[in-house]
Amino acid sequence: VICDISPRRNYVIRRASNLSKESHIIAANVDQALLMATLRSPETATEFVDRFLVTCEAYKVPVTILLSKIDLQDPQAVADFHAVYESAGYRVMEVSSATGEGVGAVHELLKGRTTLVSGNSGVGKSTLIDPSLDIRTGEISESHHKGRHTTTFSTMYPLAEGGAVIDTPGIKGFGLIDIDDAELWHYFPEMMRTAPDCRFYNCTHTHEPGCAVVE
């Protein structure tokens, strides 16, 4: 029996699919989000990363990016990824379940917090979260180099040291919803730092003269 519906202080939402007008709330009332990405095996599209970050900014959910399977990644591509997202203001951590690199630091982040862990299929979310939890994982499909969906619905797991982790299904696409074109730039920290210097207060940062963002 549902006795009461409490207000949400934040949430992470996406368009259900590229052609759908329906929305899908992935998680609510979270303290932070960890976005797991890989540059190969499988490759996470930067458009996916950007849309996730924009949504979290819009709903005031702090994000840390976990660059996963770091032992398999090209060092130059890793350096380029760091340069782009750290200059925007995001923390990027390198992790590998295979070697254990960064795993301890991630577990420190999780303590005492409600954390949404998200990313494409096959980036290693469930393997990394906590080896002591019984979370099913699967191998990468060699034929398509895409992860098989092994988590079929979002599940919250309490952590022994306090806090909880919300493990999400592998998400293939992340469509923005309820964000107008005119407000989109508000959710790019690197634009927000520069935009006050634009000539026009309602600058769209695409074509206007005297646009500090374009410059």
Side-chain angles (χ1 to χ4, degrees), residues 107-152:
H107 287 177
E108 284 297 317
L109 270 182
L110 299 178
K111 287 181 182 178
R113 298 175 178 173
T114 300
T115 304
L116 168 67
V117 181
S118 194
N120 292 148
S121 300
V123 296
K125 297 184 302 299
S126 299
T127 307
L128 180 75
I129 290 171
D130 191 334
S132 67
L133 294 177
D134 181 23
I135 302 175
R136 293 189 305 125
T137 59
E139 297 299 319
I140 292 291
S141 166
E142 283 299 325
S143 59
H144 299 291
H145 299 286
K146 294 179 181 177
R148 298 193 186 101
H149 289 280
T150 52
T151 306
T152 55

